[in-house]
Amino acid sequence: MDTLELKNILIEEINQIEDKSFLTALRTIIESKIKKENLYEEYNSEILKAEEDIENGYTISHDDVKGKIDEWKKK
């Protein structure tokens, strides 16, 4: 059974369910899966951007960061 067949079977079975609380729970599960996938995509995108920044020399040393923090603390 391929993914499309499985989706179609699930759609048919879900259409037969009348229990609102069960359908709400199922919706929560599906939304959670979608959000998780989106988070992975965002995470991977941010990692790729950071790697590009490093390759292009857009970095700051640890000592420079510590110096900036010290300046902020004085304000």
Side-chain angles (χ1 to χ4, degrees), residues 4 9 19 21 38 40 46 54 56 61 63-64 69 73:
L4 183 58
I9 290 169
D19 182 342
S21 63
N38 288 340
Y40 287 137
E46 289 176 13
I54 291 168
N56 292 321
S61 73
D63 289 336
D64 288 343
I69 291 171
K73 286 180 179 178

Side-chain angles (χ1 to χ4, degrees), residues 17-28:
I17 297 170
E18 298 298 328
D19 182 342
K20 184 176 180 177
S21 63
F22 180 82
L23 291 170
T24 300
L26 188 56
R27 182 178 183 190
T28 300

Side-chain angles (χ1 to χ4, degrees), residues 3-4 8-9 21 26 30 52 61-62 64-65 67 70-71:
T3 304
L4 183 58
N8 287 331
I9 290 169
S21 63
L26 188 56
I30 292 169
E52 286 177 20
S61 73
H62 181 69
D64 288 343
V65 171
D70 289 340
E71 287 177 30

